Amino acid sequence: MPDQLLYAMEVTLNGLMAGVMYALVALGFVLIYKASGIFNYAQGVLALFAALTLVGIQQGQVPFAHVINAITGGHLESFGWQLPSILAILLTAGVMVVLAIVIEKLVLKHLVGQAEIILFMATIGLAYFLEGFGDVMWGADIKTLDVGLPQGINETLESVTDSLFGYGFFVDNLDIVAALVAVALVTALTLFSQYSKQGRALRAVADDHQAALSVGISLRFIWVLVWSIAGIVALVAGIMWGSKSGVQFSLSLIALKALPVLMLGGFTSIPGAIVGGLIIGMGEKLFEFFLGPLIGGATENWFAYVLALVFLVFRPQGLFGERIIERV
């Protein structure tokens, strides 16, 4: 088999793995959009805040330590414990649920019936607040996240492809774990959305807040529920991205890559988030591989947005999104 084709196959496989990582972030956006009809600008910051909190809890870091030390003149740094990864993840999930309750009580309940642009602006303010709050709470230094996930090249896949093609494919173990987790999340969330009472209520709230209230659906409960789930999805995304590249404040920018994923898959489709992520991940890697050298490289920075622009022109609702028809 020609070397160029083998390289393209390896690039395709790694692109699909990268797409899964994008899709993990996009899932949180879909959940919020289905419940409120708005693009949650704060989803990327939720992933950052969850990852920061997980590292802090796992390493026994004292919250607001440098603020306390600045006021008291002390040298408080750590409680002196190292929690098991599973316990730290469960405690962080609890923190994300509490955060969802606080967001609903302080922000969302005052915006019932407001225009979508008002809700969107609220998520922008929430994003900047959470980013600053996470900085003050846990510090701004780059942190290493290790919850025991396998990393490095998958030797089994490398040996199998080497025996089949005479060339071993290099795929990171962490990317494979992310793919398996994404499949499990999409399956669970799809079943929840389609077949549970709360999932049907969630779709009703997205269609019309006031109508949902008139038939006895608790809007406040639905918002707490969906923001809790979105927070836990953000935690999963934060674990994967933080384990891959470290927990740093640029982690919040992954939301920008999730936007074209949503445009392709559709803002209301949970499976669409995965399909959109796979298309973006594979497309940008193959485009860089074949055409990058001809046009100067660095095409991964803009390819996803150009592809999303094409979809906006020809299919604005995305591959799996619902076409909205308004009669006047």
Side-chain angles (χ1 to χ4, degrees):
M1 188 174 293
D3 290 344
Q4 189 78 356
L5 179 57
L6 288 173
Y7 296 153
M9 291 171 62
E10 182 183 13
V11 168
T12 299
L13 187 56
N14 278 285
L16 292 173
M17 296 296 104
V20 169
M21 298 289 280
Y22 299 152
L24 283 175
V25 183
L27 282 174
F29 287 100
V30 171
L31 289 170
I32 300 296
Y33 192 89
K34 286 173 73 70
S36 59
I38 61 165
F39 177 78
N40 176 27
Y41 188 85
Q43 187 65 32
V45 181
L46 282 177
L48 168 65
F49 183 80
L52 287 171
T53 302
L54 175 58
V55 173
I57 291 176
Q58 186 181 31
Q59 297 180 356
Q61 183 179 345
V62 178
F64 308 104
H66 61 288
V67 176
I68 296 173
N69 292 337
I71 295 174
T72 63
H75 300 282
L76 193 63
E77 293 293 340
S78 172
F79 291 115
W81 69 54
Q82 186 83 17
L83 290 182
S85 297
I86 295 296
L87 180 57
I89 290 172
L90 291 175
L91 290 174
T92 305
V95 170
M96 299 309 291
V97 172
V98 172
L99 178 62
I101 295 172
V102 172
I103 290 173
E104 191 280 328
K105 287 186 176 298
L106 297 183
V107 180
L108 298 179
K109 80 172 185 179
H110 303 290
L111 301 177
V112 175
Q114 295 294 324
E116 293 177 358
I117 186 63
I118 301 298
L119 289 166
F120 174 65
M121 293 300 294
T123 67
I124 293 178
L126 181 63
Y128 284 107
F129 170 78
L130 282 177
E131 188 167 352
F133 187 72
D135 184 1
V136 173
M137 188 174 185
W138 301 112
D141 55 310
I142 299 175
K143 297 172 175 59
T144 301
L145 177 58
D146 182 9
V147 294
L149 295 177
Q151 299 194 41
I153 302 301
N154 187 282
E155 296 180 357
T156 301
L157 181 61
E158 182 186 5
S159 62
V160 169
T161 53
D162 185 51
S163 62
L164 290 175
F165 308 117
Y167 174 78
F169 291 178
F170 296 119
V171 177
D172 198 309
N173 281 310
L174 183 62
D175 291 336
I176 296 175
V177 171
L180 296 175
V181 170
V183 170
L185 270 178
V186 168
T187 302
L189 291 173
T190 301
L191 292 174
F192 169 79
S193 177
Q194 297 296 328
Y195 300 107
S196 70
K197 179 181 178 181
Q198 290 79 11
R200 291 190 293 271
L202 185 152
R203 297 201 303 273
V205 168
D207 288 337
D208 192 318
H209 293 174
Q210 296 298 336
L213 287 171
S214 67
V215 296
I217 295 175
S218 173
L219 183 59
R220 296 183 62 181
F221 171 76
I222 291 298
W223 273 353
V224 168
L225 176 64
V226 75
W227 276 80
S228 297
I229 297 174
I232 293 172
V233 171
L235 170 59
V236 174
I239 289 173
M240 298 303 171
W241 281 95
S243 299
K244 191 178 184 72
S245 56
V247 179
Q248 50 192 316
F249 278 79
S250 61
L251 184 63
S252 62
L253 299 179
I254 58 176
L256 298 178
K257 189 54 74 75
L259 183 56
V261 170
L262 293 168
M263 291 178 180
L264 262 68
F267 278 82
T268 59
S269 174
I270 292 173
I274 293 295
V275 175
L278 295 177
I279 293 173
I280 290 292
M282 180 178 65
E284 68 180 14
K285 295 293 184 183
L286 287 175
F287 192 86
E288 173 70 23
F289 178 72
F290 286 112
L291 298 179
L294 302 177
I295 56 179
T299 62
E300 292 185 33
N301 296 329
W302 53 262
F303 172 81
Y305 302 98
V306 173
L307 185 59
L309 180 61
V310 173
F311 266 75
L312 284 176
V313 172
F314 294 102
R315 190 175 174 85
Q317 74 271 27
L319 292 173
F320 297 91
E322 301 172 357
R323 180 184 291 273
I324 298 176
I325 301 175
E326 295 185 357
R327 291 180 173 85
V328 295

